[in-house]
Amino acid sequence: MIPLHSDQVMSAATRKIVVLPGDGIGPEIIAEGRRVLDAVVDSHGLDLTVEEHVFGGAAYDAHGSPLPEMTLDACRAADALLLGAIGGPQYDKAPRELRPERGLLGLRSELGLFANLRPAMLYPELSAASSLKPDLVAGLDIMILRELTGGIYFGGPRGIEVRNGVRTGFNTMVYDENEIQRIAVRGFELCRARHPDGGARLCSVDKANVLEVSELWREVVTAVATDYPDVELSHMYVDNAAMQLVRAPKQFDVIVTGNLFGDLLSDAAAMLTGSIGMLPSASLDKAGKGLYEPVHGSAPDIAGQGIANPLATILSVAMMLRYTLGETGAADAIEAAVSQVISAGVRTADITTPGESSVSTHDMGQAVLDALNS
Ligand code: IPM
Ligand code: MG
């Protein structure tokens, strides 16, 4: 179950945070995330150690592997991980097994981070940045819960081989009932936690009209629902869900879905907010340990320019404090500081509207620090 209060999480011993700056804009945005983390460590008297390790393309360059043993060991020993972003065009030609993305998939799988929470919410002041009409998205606050360590991403057999003289690529979408059940339970718990006073709605997304794996998915989710009479469950085919997300996104509350469908739908949901640079995410194991990272990628086109938006990383720090460390007060403080900065009109280039001026990555981080101290 997802820890939501400090009395539900690990004891008060020193907790270890491993920071993985990664590639592209990763190091720049992580620097701001760390400054904000340091600030709440001081102001809230938190007992944390923070260690940085190489990961992704940077680790491939330095050690010939995107997930070196030393980094993996440190991640295993950590209570929570904070990741910038990984990847870049310079790695497209690297052997498939050594590409940065494989490092990320390896980390998810090695640490059992099966529950991926991707919120899509819209700050009222930014509703003009959405490609949808403001009234369709005003007040949007949905959560996509994506299964992250199974499905077609990890299923076998997989490969490319010659069959009857023709090169053939293949992957396998596979879920066993235990995997479906544990993500469904997370979905219902998450839904309930968001709506302690009732009114929680969970939509399970599948392709049960075509795929056997989805047929089982639907059956298991429906069975789990009997333990959660307070949560209203619905089912939707993934093609319809994609359409409904851009037609009337506010009909959703929490969406639970498999790895591939979640990958696609969460990008669409992120874009609804018009500001993918604002969205944090969490990937949790069964005990509440988590990897926290911005939803956006490594943005190699703007890396090194000091203009990336650090708010998704800063909000990922808040999620880490909330979901793994149980430090609700510190998480609330960061989220309030970010809202304050947005209301005050501070904007990085990605969230400006024409005519508005923008600030640097560092200045945005500073604005959040100033708001925290005010
Ligand atoms: C994501 C990304 C990853 C995924 C890639 C980088 C492997 O798109 O986190 O959504 O497909 O899961
Ligand atoms: Mg993706």
Side-chain angles (χ1 to χ4, degrees):
M1 115 147 234
I2 297 162
L4 293 170
H5 305 292
S6 45
D7 56 356
Q8 285 179 281
V9 295
M10 49 194 76
S11 76
T14 303
R15 278 143 332 152
K16 287 202 191 101
I17 312 298
V18 162
V19 174
L20 308 166
D23 308 321
I25 58 171
E28 301 160 50
I29 53 178
I30 281 290
E32 300 313 311
R34 281 199 69 167
R35 292 209 296 152
V36 169
L37 179 59
D38 289 347
V40 295
V41 163
D42 285 349
S43 61
H44 288 72
L46 309 183
D47 189 7
L48 304 178
T49 60
V50 182
E51 255 176 44
E52 238 173 72
H53 288 272
V54 284
F55 181 55
Y60 174 70
D61 292 338
H63 303 285
S65 158
L67 179 53
E69 212 45 50
M70 233 183 75
T71 298
L72 181 57
D73 287 345
C75 292
R76 283 205 176 99
D79 295 301
L81 317 171
L82 180 66
L83 168 64
I86 51 133
Q90 67 270 45
Y91 305 110
D92 288 352
K93 292 270 172 320
R96 192 182 317 127
E97 288 307 316
L98 296 177
R99 286 184 202 149
E101 291 75 12
R102 283 300 172 104
L104 183 56
L105 296 176
L107 194 59
R108 288 172 180 169
S109 156
E110 287 291 329
L111 299 183
L113 305 171
F114 70 94
N116 181 209
L117 281 63
R118 297 191 168 186
M121 50 107 58
L122 191 73
Y123 290 78
E125 297 88 345
L126 298 180
S127 59
S130 174
S131 48
L132 296 192
K133 295 188 193 83
D135 61 309
L136 286 183
V137 288
L140 182 75
D141 180 10
I142 63 184
M143 176 76 85
I144 298 193
L145 177 62
R146 167 188 177 195
E147 200 291 326
L148 203 57
T149 54
I152 197 164
Y153 271 56
F154 293 94
R158 62 189 295 158
I160 302 174
E161 64 187 29
V162 178
R163 294 181 182 172
N164 302 323
V166 185
R167 289 203 304 144
T168 306
F170 52 98
N171 289 87
T172 305
M173 192 185 279
V174 54
Y175 275 115
D176 69 36
E177 55 189 344
N178 297 330
E179 291 174 303
I180 302 169
Q181 192 198 13
R182 70 178 179 177
I183 194 72
V185 166
R186 276 301 168 93
F188 285 104
E189 293 286 344
L190 186 62
C191 224
R192 189 180 263 178
R194 277 164 61 96
H195 302 277
D197 304 322
R201 289 172 298 116
L202 180 67
C203 179
S204 171
V205 170
D206 62 36
K207 189 70 186 173
N209 50 346
V210 177
L211 304 175
E212 285 80 357
V213 58
S214 281
E215 218 176 286
L216 181 67
W217 178 282
R218 194 173 276 222
E219 195 184 296
V220 173
V221 173
T222 304
V224 172
T226 55
D227 291 337
Y228 297 90
D230 52 318
V231 178
E232 183 191 319
L233 173 67
S234 62
H235 300 276
M236 202 180 273
Y237 298 137
V238 63
D239 49 350
N240 186 26
M243 185 171 75
Q244 296 300 332
L245 260 181
V246 295
R247 189 188 72 86
K250 283 190 273 181
Q251 70 185 283
F252 294 107
D253 176 5
V254 177
I255 291 176
V256 63
T257 189
N259 206 342
L260 179 62
F261 300 157
D263 182 44
L264 310 181
L265 295 181
S266 63
D267 264 20
M271 206 57 221
L272 293 177
T273 70
S275 38
I276 193 165
M278 303 288 300
L279 299 176
S281 75
S283 306
L284 304 175
D285 77 355
K286 58 181 189 303
K289 172 172 177 162
L291 166 70
Y292 296 84
E293 59 177 317
V295 164
H296 61 70
S298 58
D301 52 320
I302 58 162
Q305 297 179 28
I307 57 170
N309 186 346
L311 292 178
T313 307
I314 290 170
L315 291 168
S316 297
V317 171
M319 269 188 115
M320 175 173 86
L321 290 160
R322 186 180 306 286
Y323 287 107
T324 292
L325 303 174
E327 299 291 350
T328 312
D332 288 346
I334 292 174
E335 287 167 0
V338 169
S339 297
Q340 197 180 319
V341 161
I342 292 296
S343 315
V346 186
R347 303 280 185 270
T348 42
D350 58 305
I351 48 172
T352 51
T353 43
E356 260 178 354
S357 62
S358 60
V359 303
S360 68
T361 308
H362 185 79
D363 288 349
M364 181 57 103
Q366 190 57 47
V368 174
L369 287 174
D370 293 345
L372 270 173
N373 292 328
S374 68

